[in-house]
Amino acid sequence: MGVEEQRTEKKRPGFRFWFSCRLLQGFGLLLCAAILGRSLYLQVVDHAKWKEMHIGQAQSVVDIPVYRGKIVDRRGLDLALSLKSPSLFADGALVQDPKTTAARLVPIVGEAADKIEQKLRQNKRFIRLRRGLSMEEAQQVAGLKLPGIGMTSEWRRFYPFRHSGGHVIGFVGVDGVGLEGVEKAYDGLLRQSVRSTTALRDGGRRKIWLRETPPPLPQERYGLQLALDGYLQSVSEEALQKAIEQHQAAAGQAILMDAQTFEVLALAVWPGFDPNHYSSHQPAEWRNRAIADAFEPGSSFKTFLMAAVLDAKSAKPEDRIFCENGRIQVATHTIRDVHPHGWLTVAEVLKVSSNIGALKLADALGAERFYRYLDQFGFGKKTGVDLPGEISGTLRPLASWRPIDLAVTAFGQGVTVTGLQLASAVAAIANGGLMKTPRVAKAVLDAEGRVVKVFGHEEGRRVLSAATAAKLRELMRGVVEPGGTGTRAALAQYTTAGKTGTAQFVEPGTRRYSLDKYTSVFVGFAPVTHPRLVLAVVIHEPQPEHYGGVVAAPVFRDVMEKALPYLGVLPDKKLEDQPPTVRMVSASPEEATAEGVPMTSAEDDTVMIPDVRGLSLKAAVAVLKDSGLSVLPQGRGRVVRQHPGAGTSARKGAAVTIELEEVL
């Protein structure tokens, strides 16, 4: 082999090495470029995806407990609030012995063992067994130590006053949705909504709370303040129930309103129900009869006939009408008065409640004008109150009226109203002729109880001139004075006005008037000089007495005697007009117009001690001093006892000791 060949042979291994290095270098560059490209793709193109995965591994979403807002009365007392309540659940993957577990849970769940076992055999991580456990039941579950059985906390609704105000407040279902009353009307405001935040978590998926970001606390939704007053609600319910039990009635209602603002201060319905246990009552018992039941108002409707007559100037209070000695024929119908009358003034027609006088006034007024005034008062239409389930009542179109319809509508037959319609219409007379929309809610509150929105009071629309309303108030005052049909509604220290009504009950099946079922009505206001409160009382099917002046009027008196002093309304009767003792003359229903006549004491310096229990110190002092008595107060809060007792006689200037306590 030559020298040249040897050189060539020696160079070949160096070339191979060089080539291999270059090849590896090129491959490395390609690999680096691929890694760089992939990194760039992950960091730029897929950035959102990987960031979300990172957050998902390091953070978790946490639901903030939010519970339904409170409902309070006008003084701030809780009417409805949310409480934390244990709930029982099972983890199907961890339950070891469904049959034995079910048998041990029967007393707590309250279901058959086979049904519980069927639930436990479901392949679910969360199986709800029962809501709303008591603390004792929760302790029992904890003591059983059953695998796969656990408890969680939920918010449930609680109504501290139980039956009181149940028809107004209403209730919520197990899912937290309002089903009746204010709870339903303002469900969107009160109902809890889902809120969430984020929290860090460790490798064991446990939440980590830093000092600067503590765990979120439960939050309360907006609350609601009602115009309703808890004390006045209780007073109204007690007086209504007393009358219903006394007269063996089927049902009743009492609506107490502010005459100037149309705020509903109390709305009592009997029979009542406990919203804490609404499912144990029949749905018919949930119904708010004051807005959902219509009835014929009877002679209480003569009030609005008189309003139309006076405003249209078709007759004057002193005009005289011949009342046919108690009997008149209209077409094929015979109209009668309870007591026969000859000549009566227009004012006396209302005072003694003459049907014949009313139909003659209606005939002189004319159907068209009468209908127009009834429409202005809102009959045949909903009041617009902020409660669900209101009906409109019935006022047939004028075009369908027959001659007899004008006559019977004049004394409250052939037309139906609700209790709230009746109260609202009389409130328009009491406040000078302005009709407004009745309201139950007063203001919206934040979680701390601060007012964030007040429901404004509307100006109202005029349905009567102020002069007509003033005249009508005086005519209605005569109804409760001696000789009127509503003497049992008269108040000892306040001027009073109102109208009685007694209507035959219409049988639902036959649509005919019952021969032994009636509706008793009294609606009125006080004081007459400056009307503050309006109260409508309706009692259905009382037995055996059924006249409104006998059955319903005493409820008005019982409520007003406590409500007016409680609100700080000063008596407007002069001392000489307030008899020291009152004797209620026993009378049959036919003689009801003669009862309640005040009997004057022989001693001019003797006064009757009024009942001031339940009043504030300021109101009690005002009432007693106005009666000519001095006061010795003891304690703070409201009057719970007094000595001497109410109704006893004492000399003017005598001291009355009143004991006061804080009432929760």
Side-chain angles (χ1 to χ4, degrees):
M1 182 181 291
V3 176
E4 290 297 330
E5 290 178 352
Q6 290 178 355
R7 287 179 180 175
T8 304
E9 193 68 30
K10 289 179 180 178
K11 289 178 181 178
R12 283 178 182 170
F15 174 78
R16 290 194 188 100
F17 178 76
W18 176 85
F19 181 77
S20 298
C21 288
R22 290 290 184 269
L23 186 63
L24 288 173
Q25 186 179 23
F27 180 76
L29 289 172
L30 287 173
L31 183 61
C32 289
I35 294 173
L36 183 61
R38 181 60 177 168
S39 299
L40 186 64
Y41 180 84
L42 294 175
Q43 292 291 330
V44 178
V45 180
D46 258 4
H47 173 77
K49 172 185 174 182
W50 291 102
K51 183 178 181 181
E52 184 178 351
M53 289 181 65
H54 165 72
I55 293 173
Q57 292 173 350
Q59 296 181 357
S60 62
V61 177
V62 180
D63 289 335
I64 301 174
V66 179
Y67 52 94
R68 197 174 180 89
K70 283 183 180 181
I71 301 176
V72 301
D73 80 342
R74 67 188 302 112
R75 294 181 294 156
L77 295 178
D78 291 338
L79 301 177
L81 63 156
S82 297
L83 300 177
K84 218 170 185 180
S85 173
S87 291
L88 185 65
F89 75 95
D91 185 338
L94 300 178
V95 175
Q96 298 175 357
D97 187 349
K99 187 171 184 178
T100 303
T101 302
R104 300 188 70 181
L105 289 175
V106 166
I108 297 168
V109 178
E111 291 185 3
D114 56 343
K115 289 186 177 180
I116 300 175
E117 182 182 353
Q118 187 177 359
K119 292 180 181 179
L120 297 177
R121 291 188 182 278
Q122 298 178 67
N123 188 24
K124 295 181 180 179
R125 299 305 305 267
F126 184 86
I127 304 168
R128 191 185 302 281
L129 298 177
R130 189 190 149 190
R131 279 180 157 126
L133 271 68
S134 67
M135 296 308 298
E136 292 77 10
E137 290 170 331
Q139 291 173 358
Q140 289 178 29
V141 172
L144 293 175
K145 299 180 179 179
L146 298 171
I149 302 300
M151 286 180 292
T152 185
S153 293
E154 293 182 322
W155 296 92
R156 69 178 179 87
R157 209 61 164 159
F158 177 63
Y159 303 95
F161 285 87
R162 304 186 185 280
H163 291 79
S164 187
H167 291 91
V168 180
I169 303 165
F171 54 84
V172 300
V174 292
D175 55 357
V177 177
L179 299 179
E180 292 288 344
V182 169
E183 294 276 31
K184 181 176 181 179
Y186 290 91
D187 187 55
L189 175 75
L190 298 167
R191 194 199 305 182
Q192 60 269 33
S193 58
V194 178
R195 297 182 186 178
S196 60
T197 187
T198 57
L200 297 175
R201 64 183 182 185
D202 60 15
R205 304 182 70 84
R206 293 169 296 190
K207 298 179 183 66
I208 302 173
W209 300 104
L210 303 178
R211 182 175 297 176
E212 58 270 16
T213 57
L217 297 174
Q219 297 180 2
E220 182 177 357
R221 280 285 285 173
Y222 287 116
L224 197 66
Q225 183 180 38
L226 304 187
L228 210 72
D229 185 286
Y231 173 74
L232 296 180
Q233 179 70 26
S234 177
V235 166
S236 300
E237 288 175 345
E238 288 177 4
L240 181 65
Q241 184 176 353
K242 174 185 173 184
I244 287 173
E245 292 175 350
Q246 179 182 350
H247 297 285
Q248 306 171 45
Q253 54 189 268
I255 304 101
L256 184 67
M257 292 176 59
D258 187 301
Q260 305 303 319
T261 65
F262 280 50
E263 288 181 333
V264 178
L265 304 180
L267 195 156
V269 175
W270 195 95
F273 77 99
D274 184 354
N276 292 298
H277 309 288
Y278 67 89
S279 58
S280 63
H281 297 267
Q282 295 298 319
E285 295 178 278
W286 307 340
R287 189 174 71 252
N288 187 343
R289 294 176 179 271
I291 60 173
D293 280 9
F295 56 91
E296 290 194 352
S299 291
S300 64
F301 214 61
K302 292 171 184 171
T303 304
F304 312 107
L305 168 66
M306 288 296 176
V309 166
L310 296 177
D311 205 56
K313 297 181 173 58
S314 64
K316 298 176 182 177
E318 62 273 14
D319 290 347
R320 292 167 60 83
I321 300 171
F322 184 60
C323 294
E324 307 292 339
N325 293 314
R327 179 188 177 100
I328 192 173
Q329 197 76 16
V330 178
T332 60
H333 301 270
T334 302
I335 308 297
R336 296 180 175 85
D337 279 335
V338 175
H339 301 291
H341 298 285
W343 288 95
L344 293 174
T345 64
V346 170
E348 290 170 336
V349 167
L350 187 67
K351 182 172 184 173
V352 302
S353 199
S354 168
N355 292 339
I356 295 172
L359 71 86
K360 286 193 171 185
L361 286 171
D363 186 60
L365 176 66
E368 185 175 346
R369 284 196 293 184
F370 187 25
Y371 184 90
R372 186 172 70 249
Y373 276 96
L374 295 182
D375 181 69
Q376 287 179 189
F377 273 108
F379 296 112
K381 295 178 285 190
K382 296 179 181 180
T383 66
V385 67
D386 49 340
L387 286 173
E390 184 182 21
I391 63 172
S392 61
T394 56
L395 178 63
R396 293 193 297 111
L398 179 62
S400 65
W401 279 27
R402 302 162 297 169
I404 189 62
D405 290 324
L406 174 61
V408 297
T409 303
F411 49 81
Q413 285 189 350
V415 59
T416 64
V417 303
T418 66
L420 187 60
Q421 279 180 328
L422 195 59
S424 299
V426 170
I429 296 169
N431 72 13
L434 290 175
M435 174 65 74
K436 302 179 183 180
T437 303
R439 290 206 65 91
V440 171
K442 189 175 182 68
V444 178
L445 310 176
D446 64 13
E448 284 72 39
R450 295 185 295 257
V451 174
V452 296
K453 178 184 177 181
V454 177
F455 296 108
H457 301 302
E458 60 182 305
E459 294 296 326
R461 54 185 175 83
R462 185 157 293 282
V463 296
L464 289 177
S465 69
T468 299
K471 290 179 184 177
L472 186 54
R473 288 196 295 269
E474 287 303 313
L475 265 60
M476 295 175 71
R477 182 174 181 174
V479 173
V480 300
E481 292 177 344
T485 59
T487 53
R488 292 193 182 190
L491 304 176
Q493 296 182 310
Y494 299 89
T495 55
T496 314
K499 184 68 187 81
T500 58
T502 308
Q504 288 176 283
F505 181 79
V506 179
E507 296 286 1
T510 63
R511 303 302 303 168
R512 294 179 178 274
Y513 286 110
S514 170
L515 298 177
D516 59 356
K517 295 179 181 179
Y518 296 86
T519 301
S520 302
V521 180
F522 184 87
V523 58
F525 53 88
V528 178
T529 51
H530 295 93
R532 174 67 190 277
L533 295 178
V534 172
L535 178 61
V537 181
V538 184
I539 298 181
H540 302 280
E541 302 177 44
Q543 297 290 341
E545 296 176 323
H546 56 265
Y547 287 96
V550 176
V551 178
V555 178
F556 177 93
R557 181 194 64 226
D558 292 347
V559 172
M560 287 292 193
E561 281 184 344
K562 293 183 178 180
L564 290 168
Y566 168 77
L567 293 174
V569 180
L570 296 177
D572 65 336
K573 277 188 176 180
K574 297 178 182 178
L575 286 176
E576 56 267 26
D577 296 332
Q578 299 177 27
T581 58
V582 177
R583 178 172 63 89
M584 299 303 292
V585 181
S586 177
S588 66
E590 290 75 19
E591 298 167 333
T593 57
E595 64 188 344
V597 180
M599 304 299 291
T600 305
S601 170
E603 298 184 35
D604 293 336
D605 61 345
T606 302
V607 296
M608 181 181 67
I609 297 177
D611 187 354
V612 295
R613 289 172 298 176
L615 303 185
S616 64
L617 175 60
K618 182 178 179 181
V621 169
V623 171
L624 291 169
K625 284 191 173 181
D626 197 70
S627 298
L629 300 165
S630 59
V631 187
L632 294 176
Q634 297 178 359
R636 298 177 60 183
R638 296 195 174 277
V639 180
V640 293
R641 285 175 292 276
Q642 66 179 81
H643 181 77
T648 58
S649 298
R651 289 186 175 275
K652 289 182 181 179
V656 177
T657 302
I658 56 175
E659 298 179 30
L660 302 98
E661 293 180 4
E662 294 287 352
V663 179
L664 299 179

